[in-house]
Amino acid sequence: MDREKRARENFCAGLNCGQSVFMAFADLTGLTYEQAMKLSAPFGGGMGRMREVCGAVSASMMVLGLLFYDAAHPTNEEKSALYAREQEVASRFRKAFGTIICRELLEGTGADDAPQAEERTAEYYAKRPCAGLCAGAAKILQEYLAEEGVLPAGGEGKQA
């Protein structure tokens, strides 16, 4: 199964947007399933349903940090190289969807920033673009990682 499809299915199975994308790449991170789920949980709904940066984008940034940041040598060059990668992936998402901001992506859906998670119903999925945004973020990250040689050209690699 490709990571794009996995991210979509993760969201439709009840994971938040951050978890949906992060878990599609969890096998590359060195984290256990439980660690990956907990680490990515706060990023749903644009971070805690505050509707800031889309959780799918935030998850992509976390994957990039885990794969490309050398924590043993946190130099300015290392930070700058990671920032450049993050900006490239965010730019691709912005180009595909118009923005990386959750509230803008959800405009017109009636989504609010109350801290209560919404019940996942057929109506919820029908009015939200989130499953597609998760799939799109995963596709963008998968393509980027393939370009960087982290994943094979098809982008799938091993799956957990």
Side-chain angles (χ1 to χ4, degrees), residues 34-83:
E34 182 178 354
Q35 290 169 331
M37 284 288 286
K38 286 182 173 186
L39 179 65
S40 57
F43 296 94
M47 191 174 301
R49 292 191 88 232
M50 291 185 284
R51 308 297 183 211
E52 299 296 337
V53 173
C54 172
V57 175
S58 294
S60 298
M61 302 302 125
M62 291 191 301
V63 171
L64 292 172
L66 286 165
L67 295 178
F68 293 107
Y69 187 72
D70 183 358
H73 305 95
T75 64
N76 282 340
E77 292 79 17
E78 184 73 24
K79 291 176 193 176
S80 297
L82 180 60
Y83 295 159

